[in-house]
Amino acid sequence: MRIVHVSDAYLPRLGGIERHVHDLAARQDADGHDVSVLTTVAGTNGTPQRVEVIRPELRTPADATAMRHTWAPRAARLDALVEADVLHVHSSSVSPLAYLAIATARRHRVPTLVTMHSLLAGAAPVFRMADTVLGWKSDAVVWSAVSEAAAGPLRRALGAGRPVAVLGNAVDAAAWRTPPRPTDSRRIVIASVGRLTARKRPRQLLGILRRARAKLPPAIRLEAQLIGDGPLRGSLESYVDRHGMRSWVTLRGVASREQIRRTYHDVDLYVAPATLESFGIAALEARSAGLPVLARAQGGVADFVTHGLNGLLAADDAGMTDGIVQLARDPALRRVMRRHNRTVRPPFEWCDILPRTYALYERAVAGAGRRVRPPARSGSGG
């Protein structure tokens, strides 16, 4: 089957959508499909050899390093969409290439699966307007979202009669699992991974950590590592210095998956402070490593973290602070949560997600009335 993925976000830019699309394409390539990725992000591919990545034509050498979005007509290469057996569009709240791809596929009745990777929130009016102009309502277009939190707003935006399936991101849980280690009642190490942007709320995380430290007795040592980079790096470094947190808070910068996994060997708790977290793949990776997860209850993390069982879900930042204090004071609870996360696999491994993805492809093919070679039934990627 010829599968074309369309994503405004892709490697070498780093983020949840970018990594998931890359990994999904690699798994489908291994299943024997003919897989391509269409994106507007310039740069080097870094993809499996057989996966073609259709990128913008670079106008200057600087485009490759800047990873610019280029909207030249030749960059879109919409002919690749028409030739696909199945089109898989990965969209966020505002994704111009994704919107254009859906409209093009609809005109040519190309079987299409759309996966919404973000919470529509304030972008819902823009989404509805695009729907009105481009006319997305078609049996050939199947809709999905990465979590229940993301599916709800999408269902409301699409209106009655348009079902939205939940198709989460996936991890190789076994590859993340860390060996067991003793729990130290006098020390708790916290990690958080993500881009240092306002949407991920790293500034609020530092405030949460500072308030938690003030509530804990001096005998309990609190340490925190923020892994990732972004435009807020400088202001966060200034915050750490201004509040005297340098001795126990470290801004690590960018790290590879293997470096993060090794870091988790000495981590007791993963904290995800974002409120607009549609899924939280970094939190899922930490949960797969065996770490208890503390997150906001409003986001997609609630799909794989149950409050009190394998982590804590907080209604607000005050609750996040209290969650850190609770787990720092209760090493036995941390130990129980860690044991659960190490022994009970999350329902978001590749052996779960690939069959769901192929089933949705089949639904889109049936809606378009096309005859194509059936997709492979793998499930071996977990």
Side-chain angles (χ1 to χ4, degrees):
M1 171 175 280
R2 174 153 176 73
I3 303 167
V4 177
H5 293 278
V6 177
S7 180
D8 292 75
Y10 194 66
L11 302 178
R13 293 183 58 166
L14 297 177
I17 299 177
E18 292 88 341
R19 290 165 56 191
H20 176 73
V21 175
H22 170 268
D23 291 346
L24 176 57
R27 298 277 175 166
Q28 292 176 333
D29 172 71
D31 281 349
H33 295 290
D34 179 6
V35 186
S36 300
V37 177
L38 176 65
T39 184
T40 55
V41 178
T44 57
N45 286 346
T47 55
Q49 187 174 0
R50 290 182 299 244
V51 175
E52 178 190 17
V53 180
I54 306 169
R55 296 185 182 273
E57 295 180 2
L58 302 181
R59 295 169 177 170
T60 69
D63 286 343
T65 56
M67 295 176 280
R68 292 197 176 101
H69 287 263
T70 305
W71 291 100
R74 284 182 297 174
R77 291 283 303 277
L78 297 180
D79 57 318
L81 309 184
V82 179
E83 296 168 0
D85 290 329
V86 171
L87 183 66
H88 193 159
V89 178
H90 303 268
S91 180
S92 59
S93 300
V94 179
S95 297
L97 178 63
Y99 292 178
L100 180 60
I102 298 168
T104 302
R106 177 183 177 276
R107 285 197 303 272
H108 294 275
R109 291 198 65 78
V110 178
T112 302
L113 170 63
V114 182
T115 300
M116 179 61 66
H117 286 262
S118 64
L119 304 178
L120 282 177
V126 176
F127 184 88
R128 293 191 192 97
M129 183 181 300
D131 185 12
T132 300
V133 174
L134 300 175
W136 293 341
K137 292 178 173 61
S138 166
D139 290 338
V141 179
V142 172
W143 293 87
S144 65
V146 293
S147 66
E148 286 292 347
L154 181 57
R155 291 185 184 113
R156 291 191 291 273
L158 289 172
R162 299 299 300 175
V164 176
V166 175
L167 182 65
N169 293 339
V171 297
D172 182 352
W176 281 96
R177 194 164 296 122
T178 59
R181 67 177 183 84
T183 302
D184 190 342
S185 62
R186 298 164 300 176
R187 175 176 178 256
I188 181 169
V189 181
I190 293 171
S192 187
V193 178
R195 287 265 298 159
L196 302 184
T197 61
R199 182 176 172 276
K200 295 295 185 180
R201 305 181 75 240
R203 166 66 173 74
Q204 288 81 356
L205 174 57
L206 291 179
I208 290 166
L209 291 169
R210 186 163 63 93
R211 291 188 290 274
R213 174 64 275 173
K215 289 187 173 185
L216 287 170
I220 298 179
R221 175 163 177 77
L222 175 63
E223 301 175 22
Q225 299 188 38
L226 277 62
I227 301 173
D229 208 346
L232 297 183
R233 175 71 179 265
S235 65
L236 298 176
E237 295 279 10
S238 298
Y239 184 100
V240 169
D241 289 334
R242 186 166 63 253
H243 293 283
M245 302 167 67
R246 183 64 64 182
S247 64
W248 57 279
V249 173
T250 303
L251 274 67
R252 285 267 307 274
V254 176
S256 68
R257 286 180 175 178
E258 180 54 31
Q259 288 171 327
I260 295 171
R261 193 188 73 84
R262 288 199 302 268
T263 296
Y264 287 164
H265 290 188
D266 190 41
V267 170
D268 301 289
L269 171 65
Y270 183 89
V271 177
T275 55
L276 297 176
E277 194 70 89
S278 59
F279 185 79
I281 194 165
L284 177 59
E285 290 166 348
R287 182 243 184 266
S288 300
L291 301 184
V293 174
L294 170 62
R296 292 290 294 263
Q298 300 91 335
V301 176
D303 280 13
F304 53 86
V305 171
T306 300
H307 182 76
L309 177 65
N310 57 357
L312 297 176
L313 299 173
D316 51 28
D317 286 356
M320 296 284 286
T321 298
D322 292 341
I324 292 175
V325 172
Q326 177 185 355
L327 290 171
R329 290 178 175 272
D330 194 345
L333 179 58
R334 299 203 313 261
R335 187 161 49 248
V336 169
M337 289 179 172
R338 191 177 186 102
R339 184 183 305 118
H340 177 279
N341 287 349
R342 291 193 72 260
T343 57
V344 179
R345 75 176 187 88
F348 292 97
E349 294 193 82
W350 286 108
C351 59
D352 305 304
I353 299 304
L354 274 174
R356 293 181 207 168
T357 302
Y358 291 141
L360 291 174
Y361 288 175
E362 290 177 344
R363 188 190 303 176
V365 168
R370 281 197 175 188
R371 287 180 172 271
V372 299
R373 180 164 60 91
R377 289 290 190 180
S378 170
S380 61

